[in-house]
């Protein structure tokens, strides 16, 4: 059962790397929009790690439509990391009340 968790984790990580920013899959005629911004915001931590080993990969798609891409990107970044902070605060307050 423990091996299945590792296999699942590896499959999830590989599927997240399928559409990285600046990986060459976006053509210049089709600019990244709002939903690509959300996707790239969600996978930003994975993109950051991969960009260490592959310099052509970045966490931000430079070929985008502007405001709407930025809006989706920042919503995903703030929403993802903000929800982590909320769960940490909830955990800290529940532990403090047990004392």
């Amino acid at each position: 059962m423990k091996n299945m968790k590792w296999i699942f984790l590896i499959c999830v990580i590989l599927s997240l790397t399928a559409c990285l920013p600046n990986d060459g899959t976006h053509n210049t005629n089709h600019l990244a929009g709002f939903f690509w911004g959300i996707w790239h915001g969600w996978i930003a931590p994975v993109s950051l790690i991969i960009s260490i080993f592959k310099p052509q990969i970045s966490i931000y798609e430079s070929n985008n439509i502007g405001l709407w891409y930025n809006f989706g990107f920042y919503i995903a970044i703030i929403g993802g990391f903000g929800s982590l902070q909320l769960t940490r605060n909830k955990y800290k307050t529940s532990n403090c009340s047990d004392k």
Side-chain angles (χ1 to χ4, degrees):
M1 188 67 175
K2 194 172 188 179
N3 288 337
M4 290 301 290
K5 290 180 185 178
W6 282 106
I7 292 171
F8 178 73
L9 180 66
I10 290 170
C11 288
V12 167
I13 290 172
L14 288 176
S15 68
L16 286 176
T17 62
C19 298
L20 291 171
N22 291 334
D23 64 349
T25 58
H26 300 290
N27 63 20
T28 56
N29 296 332
H30 180 69
L31 302 174
F34 177 74
F35 293 111
W36 277 113
I38 289 176
W39 176 251
H40 292 155
W42 282 339
I43 65 169
V46 176
S47 300
L48 179 65
I49 293 169
I50 292 174
S51 70
I52 294 170
F53 304 104
K54 289 187 169 189
Q56 71 270 18
I57 302 295
S58 67
I59 40 177
Y60 186 81
E61 177 68 54
S62 58
N63 191 21
N64 62 52
I65 62 172
L67 177 67
W68 285 109
Y69 177 82
N70 294 338
F71 185 62
F73 186 81
Y74 291 122
I75 282 178
I77 291 287
I78 291 169
F81 297 127
S83 64
L84 291 175
Q85 182 63 32
L86 288 175
T87 57
R88 269 202 257 153
N89 287 343
K90 186 177 177 182
Y91 180 72
K92 284 181 183 177
T93 58
S94 67
N95 283 343
C96 292
S97 63
D98 291 340
K99 293 182 180 180

